[in-house]
Amino acid sequence: MARGRAPAAWAAAGGTLLERAVLHGARFGDRTSPLITLLPGAGLHGIAFPGVPRKEVEPRTAAVAEGQWAADGDRRPIREIQATTAAVTAATIAACT
């Protein structure tokens, strides 16, 4: 798969199942719930559901995440990586100006 196309391919391949589960409240399996839980933590709403407002997706993903023991464990490393990336970016900009 070409670099940069993975999110689009992922959304195309799993989009139907995710749409049914998240947007329409359909039942989903044990392998789908961690993916649904990961969406808000990684900020993947726009990739998984292009054109759907975040406010429509967030309540359902939050409800799924409530029942997931791994949800916090998934979000914490992502937030730490985002914070580190922001700090490195800020330091680099400060050093270059």
Side-chain angles (χ1 to χ4, degrees):
M1 198 173 299
R3 182 183 175 110
R5 294 180 51 90
W10 170 79
T16 304
L17 174 62
L18 288 177
E19 286 174 10
R20 286 194 316 256
V22 175
L23 301 179
H24 306 295
R27 295 180 62 156
F28 49 87
D30 292 338
R31 294 187 306 170
T32 305
S33 56
L35 179 60
I36 293 171
T37 303
L38 191 61
L39 292 174
L44 297 174
H45 292 93
I47 292 172
F49 308 105
V52 179
R54 182 178 290 225
K55 65 182 178 182
E56 291 181 26
V57 177
E58 282 181 344
R60 179 68 174 147
T61 57
V64 172
E66 250 180 58
Q68 284 292 313
W69 63 269
D72 189 45
D74 290 339
R75 280 192 296 266
R76 191 176 317 125
I78 291 169
R79 294 223 171 100
E80 289 173 0
I81 290 169
Q82 290 172 336
T84 302
T85 302
V88 169
T89 302
T92 302
I93 291 171
C96 292
T97 56

